[in-house]
Amino acid sequence: MTKRVLPSLISLTLGWSSISVCAETRFDELLALPFVEPTEILRYGEHSDQYGLLWSRPADAISSAPLVILIHGGCWLHAYNVEHIRPLASHLLAEGFDVWAPEYRRVLGAGGYPETFDDIAKSVQFILQRRHNETPWALIGHSAGGHLALWAASEPSLPTPHLTIGLAAITDLNTYGSATGSCPKSVALLLGGNLDEKAFLYESLSPINRIFDAPLVIMQGLADPIVSTDQAEAMSSATRDYLENVDHFDFINPQRDVVDKLVRHLKKGLEE
């Protein structure tokens, strides 16, 4: 499955630069935001969910742009797919990055442990092998995708990114899975049981218990009703950036000022 739409970097006039909005972002708003079609849609496996969206310079050009691997969230659930991350990916393209946004097998579909983790690992290896260059690269993930990005960044079998950024990232599967709300219930579905049944997985797959060999930034909104600040606070090894009046989905809405701060973190981290 390959789709080529060559984006014009000069004509990315989606109107983001002049917009400053303080109201919270609803999930359904994300799906209505403008975006640039990906340059290519590439398969990294045979399952229908094993593909990724790539935004890059023309395929016949040698890109020296840094690469961002952008992992979407959605409580690890099959109901939420890669489509809602397209506006942020398009914005990062306009800011000078190539972007790979993998889809992956998810809970209540074909995912869970180990399939979801296998797909993230395979998608990272696939895109890095395809680039064949030494440009810096970063892992960014939002919410449950933040958990997966932090897992991938700390996974010994995978290359180490130059920078990892978690956006409202879930870092402690034990405390998050014990919280109230619909998303925390997905932790047991992801790991195939509760803490008493799967204690080793809860511990070994939680970023708070893993070792990071490269810079790590956690951006956390103080108005987030889905992932609370205790998840960021638990990551003592990270640079933590707490943001007032920022809610859960603001991080992936290019019409919010917080995305400009994300870009600054990204550029600073990849230039160092």
Side-chain angles (χ1 to χ4, degrees):
M1 175 171 54
T2 301
K3 180 178 181 180
R4 296 177 181 270
V5 180
L6 299 183
S8 169
L9 301 184
I10 298 175
S11 62
L12 284 173
T13 54
L14 299 181
W16 290 323
S17 60
S18 62
I19 297 177
S20 177
V21 183
C22 295
E24 67 180 22
T25 300
R26 300 189 312 273
F27 181 79
D28 58 349
E29 289 181 74
L30 297 173
L31 299 176
L33 291 172
F35 63 89
V36 173
E37 292 286 349
T39 313
E40 297 179 89
I41 302 176
L42 301 170
R43 287 210 164 275
Y44 63 86
E46 296 300 321
H47 191 275
S48 59
D49 286 335
Q50 292 177 318
Y51 69 92
L53 310 181
L54 178 65
W55 286 262
S56 69
R57 280 61 193 160
D60 57 352
I62 298 175
S63 178
S64 60
L67 173 69
V68 172
I69 298 177
L70 181 62
I71 303 177
H72 76 83
C75 304
W76 306 278
L77 291 170
H78 187 74
Y80 302 98
N81 64 23
V82 71
E83 292 184 358
H84 73 268
I85 209 77
R86 293 177 299 181
L88 177 58
S90 301
H91 185 73
L92 294 177
L93 176 70
E95 290 287 344
F97 302 96
D98 288 351
V99 183
W100 169 246
E103 188 57 277
Y104 50 92
R105 287 174 288 179
R106 305 176 304 289
V107 169
L108 300 182
Y113 179 84
E115 291 82 5
T116 295
F117 298 86
D118 290 345
D119 284 1
I120 294 299
K122 193 171 183 179
S123 69
V124 169
Q125 292 169 324
F126 170 84
I127 198 62
L128 293 179
Q129 291 169 358
R130 188 177 186 272
R131 281 178 67 82
H132 299 298
N133 62 40
E134 300 298 324
T135 55
W137 64 284
L139 272 164
I140 299 178
H142 174 248
S143 193
H147 163 254
L148 295 172
L150 269 60
W151 171 82
S154 58
E155 176 55 34
S157 65
L158 293 174
T160 301
H162 295 82
L163 173 69
T164 304
I165 301 178
L167 307 173
I170 297 165
T171 68
D172 184 343
L173 296 173
N174 181 13
T175 59
Y176 192 73
S178 301
T180 58
S182 58
C183 198
K185 295 177 182 177
S186 299
V187 174
L189 297 175
L190 175 72
L191 301 184
N194 61 32
L195 179 62
D196 292 336
E197 298 166 323
K198 301 290 182 178
F200 175 75
L201 293 182
Y202 276 78
E203 179 177 359
S204 63
L205 298 177
S206 289
I208 61 166
N209 299 320
R210 299 177 69 89
I211 296 172
F212 294 85
D213 294 325
L216 170 63
V217 176
I218 302 292
M219 300 181 69
Q220 175 66 46
L222 297 180
D224 190 333
I226 297 175
V227 176
S228 62
T229 57
D230 66 333
Q231 296 295 304
E233 290 165 3
M235 286 299 297
S236 58
S237 61
T239 297
R240 290 164 289 186
D241 189 356
Y242 298 99
L243 300 144
E244 294 185 3
N245 302 317
V246 171
D247 88 330
H248 192 67
F249 295 114
D250 287 343
F251 286 112
I252 56 175
N253 180 352
Q255 296 183 350
R256 299 294 187 258
D257 291 338
V258 67
V259 173
D260 295 332
K261 191 163 191 182
L262 164 61
V263 171
R264 290 197 295 273
H265 275 301
L266 190 54
K267 290 182 176 180
K268 181 176 183 294
L270 292 181
E271 288 171 357
E272 291 180 345

